[in-house]
Every structure is written in structure tokens, then in C-alpha cells.
Amino acid sequence: DTPVFEGAERIGKALDMVIIFGDVQKTARGYYCMEYVLLCENSKETKPGEISELHVRHLEKMIQATPQYWLWTHRRWKRTKEDIQNKKERAKGRKHEGAKGTRGERTKG
């Protein structure tokens, strides 16, 4: 399981936007070309997770075509699903702790 940022899918669906993937290719040292790939025309009509799945599949094709570049562009594989969940839980705990004081001040206890 690989964590996937779902913000683009949520925003795209909420605003019924066209979803486009920017496929960046290195053409020479210091030179890049971007090809825009249409992933979804009617985002509001998609099933939950469908846009993210389309994105991941296209990303997978890019990585397979040029594997020498994937490490520096996609560090998400360094963390497990459990790491992400633990980070979210720690953040929730800090958020609740901050609510005890006023205007962001910490309280003793």
C-alpha cells in the first residue's frame, strides 16, 4: 500500500474540473519538456478513488519508462501506511493539547 495525496481528486470532484497530469521528461542536461495528459474529463461522475488510481497508473508508466528519475521525485515509498497513520494521530493529539490554552498558549498539566 502506497499513501496517495487525495486533495486533487477531492477538489477536482467538488469543482467538477478536468483532471490533467503533467508528464515531465528530461530532454537534455538542465532541459525538460512537459506533456499534458488528460486523465479525466468529467471528474464529478467518477467513483471514489478512481482519479487517484488513474494518476497512480500514469505515474507508474512514467517510472517504468525512466526509472533513473523516480527516486528524487517520489520519496513517498520511504514511509509505510502505519507511519502515515501514526503521524496523523500525533498531529491530532497536538491539536487537542493546543485547544486547552488560549490563543495558542500551552497549559501546564
Side-chain angles (χ1 to χ4, degrees):
D1 286 330
T2 302
V4 175
F5 177 69
E6 297 174 339
E9 179 167 349
R10 289 180 184 176
I11 293 168
K13 288 180 89 155
L15 301 175
D16 198 19
M17 299 177 80
V18 171
I19 307 297
I20 298 172
F21 184 92
D23 187 346
V24 180
Q25 298 294 321
K26 184 175 183 177
T27 57
R29 185 180 177 134
Y31 292 88
Y32 300 88
C33 178
M34 181 179 278
E35 177 184 350
Y36 297 98
V37 179
L38 177 66
L39 293 182
C40 176
E41 254 186 280
N42 301 310
S43 57
K44 223 172 201 171
E45 297 175 12
T46 61
K47 294 179 271 184
E50 186 176 348
I51 293 171
S52 295
E53 184 70 24
L54 288 168
H55 173 264
V56 169
R57 293 296 152 236
H58 192 79
L59 180 61
E60 188 175 45
K61 287 178 190 174
M62 279 181 53
I63 292 168
Q64 289 172 347
T66 54
Q68 65 272 29
Y69 300 122
W70 81 271
L71 277 177
W72 65 268
T73 58
H74 300 93
R75 296 184 185 158
R76 64 178 63 137
W77 285 280
K78 287 184 175 183
R79 291 173 273 160
T80 65
K81 197 173 191 177
E82 291 79 25
D83 293 337
I84 303 295
Q85 188 60 38
N86 290 338
K87 185 176 179 180
K88 286 180 182 179
E89 288 172 9
R90 285 193 307 272
K92 281 183 185 178
R94 285 193 301 269
K95 185 177 180 181
H96 293 300
E97 286 175 13
K100 294 178 186 175
T102 58
R103 307 189 95 215
E105 298 169 5
R106 292 187 175 237
T107 59
K108 292 183 181 181

